[in-house]
Amino acid sequence: MPSPEGPGDRGGGRELSAPRLRHDTPERAGLDPGELRRLVVEFHALTTGERPWAPGAVLVAGRGPVIAVEEAAGWAVRYASYDPDADAGVELPPDARVPVTVDTPFDLASLTKLFTAVAAVQQIERGTLGMDARVGAFLPEFRAVVEHGVTVRELLTHTSGLRPELPLYDCVDAEERLAMLRAEAPVGAPGTYTYSDLNPLLLQHVLERVTGRTLDDLVHHGITRPLGMTATRFGPCPDAAATEDQRRPWAKVDRGMVRGVVHDENAWALGGVAGHAGLFSTGGDLAVFCRALLAGGSYGPARILGPDFVELLLTPPGLGFALDQPWFMGELAGRGAAGHTGFTGTSLVLDRATDTFLVLLANTVHPRRRGVDSGPRAGAGTRVARAVRGVRGA
């Protein structure tokens, strides 16, 4: 029987080597320096003013093996709490605030889904999981999805018909949460796209059943350890940027100011390790993740996927990855760009057509969640696209 371990765990065999990332000039990266200067100016403006887009943020952008931009701005921790009467954050004294650095970890939120998707495709590569296998073949006790014939492909493409989420955070214990998941039936027609946190949650159960290992173990041994992503892990992560003063009615649970523990209420209720949320990481680590996928699954001597399986992962409609979405990719979209966003203010884009990548991490939910504004994400993507083309001007 094939080992459940990911490609990064293998010893011997064919060794592939892809260039590691290095810091260098925009010109060496084949990027227009003027556009990148504008990108940096616009990035720093995101964390200024009384109501900034985010208190703190990190930006990493590059092309090929070159990081041409790596910037940090603002505060990892700026507020002690949120005052609902004033509709404003309660500022910490300046000497109590924590500045963002390029090494600050952020709560990735839904970027975690990308790692779950890669872990699943690793098992498909190894032959322990089939794309069109029925979930019920691995999880017969999940009776509702068994009756509807939900497949692994449908989980990866958000076409299972499952609703966006369940109130697992309201359950009294783990047994009740598991019972709720097992009883949840699709509400939409199979094949219809509905973005749902339940898809990667069920996929997590499939992976853990198939391999006999927990999701955090699979991600560590199959992805982050072989790639040298030492700052990427499931929480707790005490030095991470703060997120929300989490209280009802604007939040779903009452937890106070959250820092170093996953922001997502369901992931928190599940112990911090979930298929849809829970990972923390830095801009530099995510640049490595992007670079490995752009290089066909390899980074240095490590290989996490073969090129054909990276192609499978990123072929429309994308397995876990969103493809060509202008609302957060800007002008990088439209040529096969792939990526995702996270509720806490995170995003990444990798553009195979131009061999470029863009990581934007922020704590936009600090001190409390508000309506999503992806204009800055799209604007950054547009600047990078124009830097590739050498187009000047706004």
Side-chain angles (χ1 to χ4, degrees):
M1 178 176 178
S3 164
E5 296 178 345
D9 288 316
R10 297 180 187 176
R14 183 174 59 135
E15 269 196 12
L16 301 176
S17 185
R20 296 179 182 273
L21 287 171
R22 69 179 192 276
H23 292 78
D24 213 324
T25 65
E27 291 87 350
R28 291 287 182 88
L31 296 170
D32 180 78
E35 287 295 343
L36 293 190
R37 283 194 294 271
R38 294 181 183 92
L39 171 65
V40 169
V41 169
E42 291 164 358
F43 165 73
H44 281 276
L46 298 177
T47 62
T48 61
E50 290 187 6
R51 289 182 180 268
W53 180 70
V58 166
L59 173 74
V60 185
R63 189 178 190 188
V66 176
I67 293 176
V69 174
E70 187 175 36
E71 296 281 329
W75 302 100
V77 186
R78 176 175 173 175
Y79 303 103
S81 61
Y82 169 74
D83 182 348
D85 294 326
D87 187 26
V90 178
E91 300 262 10
L92 287 164
D95 61 354
R97 299 176 193 174
V98 179
V100 172
T101 73
V102 294
D103 296 319
T104 297
F106 284 77
D107 181 334
L108 296 187
S110 284
L111 295 193
T112 302
K113 294 180 172 74
L114 305 183
F115 291 80
T116 304
V118 170
V121 174
Q122 286 178 334
Q123 296 307 314
I124 293 169
E125 180 179 19
R126 296 189 66 82
T128 57
L129 191 63
M131 276 284 290
D132 294 307
R134 296 198 173 194
V135 171
F138 309 102
L139 304 174
E141 70 275 24
F142 281 65
R143 295 177 300 279
V145 295
V146 169
E147 291 173 5
H148 287 77
V150 172
T151 67
V152 170
R153 185 188 300 272
E154 289 170 343
L155 296 182
L156 282 164
T157 56
H158 293 285
T159 56
S160 66
L162 290 165
R163 73 179 80 186
E165 67 171 4
L166 288 172
L168 302 175
Y169 45 83
D170 281 338
C171 295
V172 297
D173 55 28
E175 185 176 341
E176 184 179 343
R177 285 188 284 274
L178 186 57
M180 182 179 286
L181 271 175
R182 287 174 172 173
E184 180 65 15
V187 296
T192 302
Y193 179 84
T194 301
Y195 181 81
S196 171
D197 287 349
L198 303 185
N199 290 312
L201 270 179
L202 260 66
L203 190 58
Q204 174 185 359
H205 281 275
V206 170
L207 290 171
E208 292 181 344
R209 182 67 56 85
V210 166
T211 65
R213 300 166 70 180
T214 59
L215 179 65
D216 54 336
D217 191 53
L218 290 170
V219 169
H220 174 69
H221 289 284
I223 304 173
T224 60
R225 188 179 72 174
L227 294 181
M229 297 172 62
T230 57
T232 304
R233 61 189 183 277
F234 286 93
C237 185
D239 55 341
T243 52
E244 184 177 29
D245 182 2
Q246 204 166 82
R247 287 182 276 156
R248 291 181 170 96
W250 59 84
K252 300 164 188 172
V253 295
D254 294 301
R255 298 166 64 197
M257 186 61 73
V258 178
R259 185 187 184 197
V261 180
V262 63
H263 173 270
D264 181 90
E265 293 95 337
N266 273 341
W268 167 72
L270 292 166
V273 178
H276 70 290
L279 276 175
F280 292 79
S281 189
T282 62
D285 264 20
L286 290 180
V288 170
F289 181 66
C290 290
R291 184 66 215 142
L293 294 175
L294 286 168
S298 297
Y299 185 76
R303 180 180 71 80
I304 61 168
L305 280 174
D308 290 347
F309 289 89
V310 173
E311 186 70 26
L312 176 67
L313 188 74
L314 303 181
T315 295
L319 304 182
F321 285 74
L323 303 184
D324 294 326
Q325 298 293 316
W327 66 274
F328 79 91
M329 297 179 181
E331 292 178 13
L332 276 176
R335 296 165 295 183
H340 215 285
T341 63
F343 186 79
T344 50
T346 58
S347 62
L348 67 80
V349 183
L350 53 99
D351 181 17
R352 293 190 292 166
T354 60
D355 202 23
T356 55
F357 57 88
L358 171 66
V359 176
L360 179 57
L361 302 180
N363 54 349
T364 58
V365 296
H366 184 52
R368 68 153 288 184
R369 65 186 72 185
R370 298 184 182 276
V372 177
D373 174 16
S374 279
R377 292 165 167 154
T382 293
R383 285 294 178 206
V384 173
R386 292 178 180 179
V388 173
R389 297 197 302 265
V391 176
R392 298 186 180 275

